[in-house]
C-alpha cells in the first residue's frame, strides 16, 4: 500500500526546500523526494562556495520571462529582507558585495543546514537517492512511483530545476511532467553562460586568454557593466554571463572596455604630452598590455603618437570601446548557471504557482519561465516561488 502525505515535493533544491518549510509550517505532512545523494547541491557550489543567496535589489526588472508581470506577486510576498531575516535568525554571518549581492561569510553549507533545520522544525521529511519512475493523477491527488516505493499525495510540487549543469544531476524532468499533463512550454536555452567565438577570431585573440578588464557589454537596449574575461574558448566574466541571457545566435554584441575612461581623450592627451611614445604604450596605460598590443596591431597603428592623426586615434579608441563581436554560440548547459524559458507562465497561477488545468500540481523555481540576472536573483526567485506555493497549499 502506498504511503500517503498531504504534499510531495520533488526536488530538494532551493525552491523545493523553501516550499516544504512553508507547507510544513501550515500544518501539512510533507515529503521531499530527490535522486541526489545530498540536498541543495546547487546551493553548495554557488558563489564560489559561499552562496550568493539573494540580492537586496531583486525586483521584476531583474527577471526575463515571456510574461514580465508573472513574477511580481511571488517576489512581493517573499522579499530579500524576509530571507535575510531567516539567515539572521540562524546567526549566519553574511556580507554584501558589489551591486547588492549577499554572500555567506563562511560557507554555502550554512544555508543548506539552515533550510534543513527549518524543514525539521516544520515537520517536513525528506528522502534522497530516490528515482522517480512515474507520476499519475488519482481521485485523491497524485501517485508517485519511485525506486523506493509508491507514495500518494493530495498536492504535488515539481521543483527539479532546469537543464543547466547536468553534472550536478540536472535533467529535463519538470518539462517531461509538464508535457505529460499537457501544459505549454516556452523554448528553453542556456542562460548566464560564457559565449564562444568562431575559430578565426578565437585564434586572433588567443594571446588575450586569461585577461580581465572592466567593461560594458551591450545588446540592443540592454547593457551590463561588470568584468569581462577573455578565455581559450571565447568571452566570459559577469558582464558576458549577464548579456548571454539576452543574446541570440547570429546576433552581435558591443564591447566597451574601460567604459568609465574617455579613451580618445586619453590618447589625444598622450599625443600632446609625449608624442615620442607609441600608441601601444599610451593605450597600455589604461588597458592590459597584451590587449593594447592586440588592438594596435589589429588596427595597423604603429609609429610615434606625434605622427598619428586624430582619425587614427579615434579608430583605436573605437576598437576598444565600440568593438562589435559576433559570438558563434555559447558553452551550453554544461556551464550555464540557469535555464532560460521553461513551463509557460500562462498555464500557472502567479499567486500560487498551481497549474490552472491540473488542480493540486505546482511548478516552482528554475523550471518555470522566469529567469533572473546573475547576482543572487535566481535564488530569490527560488525562495519566493517556493514560499508562494507552500503558502497556498
Amino acid at each position: 500500500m502506498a504511503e500517503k502525505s498531504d504534499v510531495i515535493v520533488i526536488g530538494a533544491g532551493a525552491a523545493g526546500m523553501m516550499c516544504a518549510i512553508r507547507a510544513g509550517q501550515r500544518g501539512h505532512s510533507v515529503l521531499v523526494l530527490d535522486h541526489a545523494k545530498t540536498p541543495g547541491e546547487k546551493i553548495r557550489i554557488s558563489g564560489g562556495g559561499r552562496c550568493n543567496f539573494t540580492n537586496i535589489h531583486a525586483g521584476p526588472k531583474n527577471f526575463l520571462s515571456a510574461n514580465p508581470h508573472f513574477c511580481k506577486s511571488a517576489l512581493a510576498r517573499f522579499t530579500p529582507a524576509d530571507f535575510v531575516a531567516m539567515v539572521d535568525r540562524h546567526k549566519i554571518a553574511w556580507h554584501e558585495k558589489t551591486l547588492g549581492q549577499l554572500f555567506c561569510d563562511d560557507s554555502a553549507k550554512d544555508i543548506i543546514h539552515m533550510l534543513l533545520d527549518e524543514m525539521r522544525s516544520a515537520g517536513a521529511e525528506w528522502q534522497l537517492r530516490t528515482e522517480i519512475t512515474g507520476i499519475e493523477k488519482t481521485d485523491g491527488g497524485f501517485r508517485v512511483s519511485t525506486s523506493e516505493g509508491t507514495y500518494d499525495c493530495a498536492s504535488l510540487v515539481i521543483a527539479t530545476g532546469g537543464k543547466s549543469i547536468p553534472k550536478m544531476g540536472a535533467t529535463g524532468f519538470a518539462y517531461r511532467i509538464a508535457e505529460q499533463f499537457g501544459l505549454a512550454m516556452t523554448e528553453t536555452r542556456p542562460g548566464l553562460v560564457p559565449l564562444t567565438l568562431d575559430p578565426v577570431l578565437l585564434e586572433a585573440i588567443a594571446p588575450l586568454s586569461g585577461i580581465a578588464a572592466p567593461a560594458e557589454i551591450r545588446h540592443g537596449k540592454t547593457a551590463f557593466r561588470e568584468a569581462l574575461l577573455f578565455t581559450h574558448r571565447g568571452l566570459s566574466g559577469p558582464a558576458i554571463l549577464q548579456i548571454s541571457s539576452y543574446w541570440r545566435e547570429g546576433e552581435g554584441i558591443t564591447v566597451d572596455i574601460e567604459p568609465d575612461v574617455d579613451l580618445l581623450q586619453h590618447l589625444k592627451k598622450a599625443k600632446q604630452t609625449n608624442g615620442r611614445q607609441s600608441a601601444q604604450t599610451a593605450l597600455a596605460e589604461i588597458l592590459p598590455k597584451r590587449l593594447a598590443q592586440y588592438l594596435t596591431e589589429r588596427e595597423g597603428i604603429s609609429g610615434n603618437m606625434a605622427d598619428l592623426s586624430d582619425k587614427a586615434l579615434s579608430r583605436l579608441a573605437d576598437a576598444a570601446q565600440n568593438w562589435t563581436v559576433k559570438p558563434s554560440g555559447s558553452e551550453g548547459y554544461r556551464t550555464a548557471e540557469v535555464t532560460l524559458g521553461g513551463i509557460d507562465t500562462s498555464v500557472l497561477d502567479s499567486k500560487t504557482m498551481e497549474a490552472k488545468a491540473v488542480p493540486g500540481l505546482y511548478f516552482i523555481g528554475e523550471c518555470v519561465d522566469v529567469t533572473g540576472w546573475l547576482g543572487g536573483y535566481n535564488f530569490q526567485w527560488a525562495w519566493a516561488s517556493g514560499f508562494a506555493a507552500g503558502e497556498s497549499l
Side-chain angles (χ1 to χ4, degrees), residues 34 56 77 109 111 144 147 157 170 199 213 215-216 249 277 290 343 361 381:
D34 199 304
I56 58 174
R77 287 181 296 128
K109 291 178 182 176
I111 299 295
V144 181
S147 56
V157 183
E216 181 176 275
E249 219 157 307
Q277 70 178 326
R290 278 184 285 157
I343 315 298
L361 180 62
W381 170 245

Side-chain angles (χ1 to χ4, degrees), residues 123-139:
E125 298 180 350
W126 58 94
Q127 184 173 299
L128 304 172
R129 301 173 189 254
T130 301
E131 298 288 340
I132 310 300
T133 57
I135 292 172
E136 58 184 298
K137 190 86 177 73
T138 63
D139 290 342

Side-chain angles (χ1 to χ4, degrees), residues 294-373:
Y294 167 76
L295 292 172
T296 49
E297 288 178 355
R298 193 187 83 186
E299 296 304 314
I301 294 175
S302 59
N304 294 339
M305 290 290 286
D307 299 326
L308 297 175
S309 66
D310 284 357
K311 190 175 179 181
L313 297 183
S314 179
R315 197 170 85 241
L316 185 55
D318 256 8
Q321 297 191 313
N322 194 23
W323 181 5
T324 299
V325 178
K326 199 171 183 180
S328 60
S330 79
E331 290 192 12
Y333 290 115
R334 184 181 62 82
T335 57
E337 297 204 12
V338 293
T339 303
L340 289 153
I343 315 298
D344 194 321
T345 57
S346 68
V347 305
L348 303 177
D349 184 308
S350 64
K351 287 193 172 73
T352 66
M353 310 303 293
E354 185 177 23
K356 296 172 184 175
V358 190
L361 180 62
Y362 299 74
F363 291 86
I364 57 176
E366 188 186 344
C367 68
V368 178
D369 176 28
V370 175
T371 306
W373 291 358

Side-chain angles (χ1 to χ4, degrees), residues 113-174:
H113 294 150
M114 173 190 80
L115 294 168
L116 293 175
D117 286 346
E118 288 280 334
M119 284 169 64
R120 213 173 275 115
S121 297
E125 298 180 350
W126 58 94
Q127 184 173 299
L128 304 172
R129 301 173 189 254
T130 301
E131 298 288 340
I132 310 300
T133 57
I135 292 172
E136 58 184 298
K137 190 86 177 73
T138 63
D139 290 342
F142 299 87
R143 173 158 290 178
V144 181
S145 301
T146 80
S147 56
E148 304 304 310
T150 305
Y151 304 88
D152 286 344
C153 61
S155 299
L156 178 63
V157 183
I158 308 297
T160 53
K163 301 176 185 176
S164 54
I165 321 183
K167 71 177 180 182
M168 302 300 297
T171 68
F173 178 83

